[in-house]
């Protein structure tokens, strides 16, 4: 199943792997983000995008950025 974590993100399991998708702040409380990832997050946010971090088995796996038009 999937568990919503109010204001932080969502977590669940897929094929025995723990997944988390949520805010950079919440993700960094679970796993250390590289300086490169933090710089990319800051750059995307400066462009007006909302960034979510994907963790797989408590390791950074990717970023998703969205922006309303």
């Amino acid at each position: 199943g999937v568990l919503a974590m109010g204001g932080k993100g969502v977590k669940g399991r897929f094929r025995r792997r723990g997944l988390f998708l949520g805010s950079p702040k919440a993700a960094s409380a679970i796993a250390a983000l590289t300086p490169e990832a933090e710089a990319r997050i800051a750059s995307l946010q400066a462009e007006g995008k909302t960034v979510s971090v994907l963790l797989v088995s408590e390791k950074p796996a990717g970023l998703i950025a969205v922006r309303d038009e």
Side-chain angles (χ1 to χ4, degrees):
V2 176
L3 175 65
M5 302 168 62
K8 296 179 182 178
V10 294
K11 68 179 182 176
R13 296 193 70 74
F14 180 72
R15 294 187 181 171
R16 298 179 160 210
R17 292 185 177 170
L19 302 175
F20 173 83
L21 180 66
S23 72
K25 182 177 179 181
S28 66
I30 298 169
L33 301 178
T34 64
E36 293 83 5
E38 290 181 358
R40 185 68 178 138
I41 290 165
S43 173
L44 291 165
Q45 290 173 331
E47 295 173 13
K49 297 176 182 172
T50 299
V51 180
S52 293
V53 178
L54 175 64
L55 302 179
V56 177
S57 299
E58 297 188 357
K59 296 179 184 168
L63 303 174
I64 299 173
V66 295
R67 183 173 81 182
D68 289 339
E69 290 291 328

